[in-house]
Amino acid sequence: MRQRLAALVWRVVLAGGLVCGIGLLPWLTHTDPAYTVLKARSAERAPTPEVLAGIRRQLGLDGGPLHVLGDWLGGLVRGDAGESWISGGDVLPGVLQALGASLLLMGVALLVAAVTAGLVCARTLRLGARRRLGGRRAGGTASAVLASLPEFLVASVLATVVGVQLGWLPALGWYGFQWTVLPALALGLPAGAVLGRLLDDLLPGAFGEPWALAAAARGLTGRSIARQAVRRCVPALLPNLGLFVVGLTGGAVAVEQVFDIPGLGRTTLQAALAQDLPVLQAGTLALVLLAALATAATRLAARLLTGPALRDGALSSLHRPAPPARALPPLLYAAVLGAVVALGLTRDPLALDTGQKLRAPTLAHPFGTDALGRDLLARVGHGALDTLLMAAAISAAALLGGVLLGLVPRVSGPLVDTVNAVPPVLVALLVTAVVGGGAATPALAVGAVAWAPLATHTAALLRQERATLHITATRGLGAGRRYLLRRELLPAVLPPVLRHALLRLPGVALALASLGFLGLGAQPPSPEWGLLLAENQPYAERAPWAVLAPAAVLALLGALAVTAAGALRGSRPARTRVGVGRPADGQAEPAGAHKEPAAVR
């Protein structure tokens, strides 16, 4: 009870600190909120001292940031989130309306993600149901490409092709269910590909558990066994699903911008840019509460699905050695990616040729040219240095931080919920406020949130692994916590988390690209990939190669990441568990708090 109370207090402190920090955003950035509000209200009106003084009196800014924050918190206790500094209307109805739109979009996107994840796992489920998983090798190149496609690019293509050219579905606005289909596809397809890869990673272990063998011996159908295998693996993925719920609600800013959806992510971004603090604080608080509810729901669902086995330590380990993927595909993808980068580096990414605007690919320009006549191969190659190196460094730091924080879930759980509730765009604005703008701002913003899924995954896998039979037996034979962590838990958890980090490498590059697409990353004439997509997206219909070139390289990076992750499947050596009649390890050490138990020798 005391631990739960401490976790609740820690969660409230983090949420309060986040909301209060956002309330101080104008003063952290050393900008005059009265000037920003004036420009948001009327860009043509001159910012004279008298006009700015009148706005400060109207908004109560003369009392300072603490006075403004205190007034807003006092009204919030009474159920009043204040009035918008821009429109003058009540904040709460507008935020709730935006939240409703985002929740509807999130629900349809989750349905798309579930279908996509099922298609990604279909081959493994089919082979497992037929008891033919023994020689299965890791695949998933198609899902890697799908997971690597930028959401804003998928949204732009769907809006242009399906919405405008074919006219099958509406491309702009938010007036009913049919307006949710295209944005839900843009959000759900990449998310479903990631979830499907994580589920596909666990299914072979579930099909190899004793209950599956016994069910097959009793004559249960393969479909029933496959359904129970999915149920067995889902609890380990539910915490990450909770992160997706919040991410698809507040982090869908680029998709909401493309489809003109009045969602919560877009609302908070516009409020942040206009420094409309009451709307920004209320939107952030709604996301924090949604994150807490999603976390509680996923934990309850995991307990219900796992049953008393989690409490009694009666589970089997899902993490078993599997045949590694073929070494040729990752080497091939790495060679192609390296060749593209090397060829691009030999060209000038800034050379202008106005007579070669938006030229189709030729021998002279293999990727074509952009709207200024610049060679796209050169820009993709030079942009790869910044994007790939930065994404790799962020992923490595996120893996280390995620594993370490995942070992202390009581500390990291509330921190993950709070961090995940803030859209990356808003994180970028906060980072800019603290450290200023520059090329490092996108890296700091993405790195501030990239560790959260890995920490959640680590904590979920550790929770499942601690409840396995071999851990229970080893603990009963005298093994201490340090031994269990070093020799049993970490060897079981690190390989899937490392594969997860590799799967997220293209996502980190996409997050950097998204900030560039929204104008919060690199600035022209930088060849950063996100900026390339943003600059050429208006010409996607006339010159599709201008957008497809950087998108194809991102997809190639995703294929490389997934095939390299598959090659790690067999990295954990097989070993016999305690209680099988042979020693669990070759070393002989006396039993003790930090030693191998004598009974396992």
Side-chain angles (χ1 to χ4, degrees), residues 211-229:
W211 68 264
L213 303 176
R218 292 189 61 183
L220 268 70
T221 64
R223 182 174 299 181
S224 299
I225 296 175
R227 185 166 56 248
Q228 293 301 320

Side-chain angles (χ1 to χ4, degrees), residues 6 9 36 87 118 145 182 225 321 405 412 425 430-432 450-451 497 514 540:
V9 172
T36 308
S87 66
V145 172
L182 293 183
I225 296 175
L405 288 171
S412 63
V425 176
L430 292 173
V431 170
T432 303
W451 59 269
V497 175
S514 298

Side-chain angles (χ1 to χ4, degrees), residues 305-520:
L305 289 173
T306 307
L310 184 65
R311 179 196 62 206
D312 298 338
L315 294 175
S316 297
S317 178
L318 289 174
H319 311 292
R320 305 182 180 193
R326 297 180 180 87
L328 182 59
L331 294 177
L332 179 61
Y333 296 138
V336 174
L337 183 61
V340 170
V341 174
L343 289 174
L345 291 177
T346 62
R347 299 164 177 257
D348 186 358
L350 302 179
L352 300 177
D353 187 352
T354 56
Q356 298 290 323
K357 295 180 180 179
L358 298 176
R359 293 290 184 180
T362 61
L363 290 178
H365 303 287
F367 282 3
T369 61
D370 64 7
L372 297 178
R374 295 174 296 192
D375 184 74
L376 281 173
L377 176 59
R379 295 184 65 74
V380 169
H382 283 266
L385 289 180
D386 294 336
T387 303
L388 294 182
L389 291 178
M390 192 175 297
I394 293 173
S395 297
L399 174 62
L400 178 61
V403 170
L404 293 178
L405 288 171
L407 297 176
V408 283
R410 290 191 180 92
V411 175
S412 63
L415 187 59
V416 166
D417 295 341
T418 305
V419 167
N420 192 61
V422 186
V425 176
L426 185 54
V427 175
L429 293 175
L430 292 173
V431 170
T432 303
V434 175
V435 302
T441 298
L444 293 175
V446 175
V449 298
W451 59 269
L454 301 178
T456 300
H457 196 194
T458 301
L461 294 179
L462 282 174
R463 191 180 305 114
Q464 294 270 316
E465 195 69 20
R466 285 192 179 102
T468 55
L469 286 170
H470 74 90
I471 293 294
T472 303
T474 307
R475 187 184 294 113
L477 293 172
R481 293 183 176 180
R482 184 176 300 177
Y483 169 81
L484 289 174
L485 180 65
R486 179 171 53 91
R487 302 295 295 275
E488 299 290 343
L489 296 175
L490 285 181
V493 169
L494 283 180
V497 175
L498 177 58
R499 292 193 291 270
H500 186 184
L502 283 174
L503 290 175
R504 293 232 169 227
L505 176 61
V508 172
L510 291 181
L512 295 170
S514 298
L515 293 178
F517 178 79
L518 294 171
L520 297 174

Side-chain angles (χ1 to χ4, degrees), residues 188-260:
L189 289 175
V194 174
L195 287 174
R197 291 304 308 164
L198 295 178
L199 179 59
D200 191 70
D201 195 37
L202 296 175
L203 281 173
F207 279 114
E209 288 184 337
W211 68 264
L213 303 176
R218 292 189 61 183
L220 268 70
T221 64
R223 182 174 299 181
S224 299
I225 296 175
R227 185 166 56 248
Q228 293 301 320
V230 172
R231 177 177 177 177
R232 170 69 180 90
C233 297
V234 163
L237 300 180
L238 281 174
N240 269 284
L241 182 61
L243 297 186
F244 274 107
V245 167
V246 182
L248 293 176
T249 305
V253 179
V255 174
E256 291 176 354
Q257 291 278 69
V258 171
F259 289 101
D260 195 24

Side-chain angles (χ1 to χ4, degrees), residues 112-126 143 189 192 196 200:
V112 174
V115 174
T116 305
L119 294 176
V120 171
C121 301
R123 176 173 172 266
T124 301
L125 290 171
R126 184 175 64 253
S143 63
L189 289 175
D200 191 70

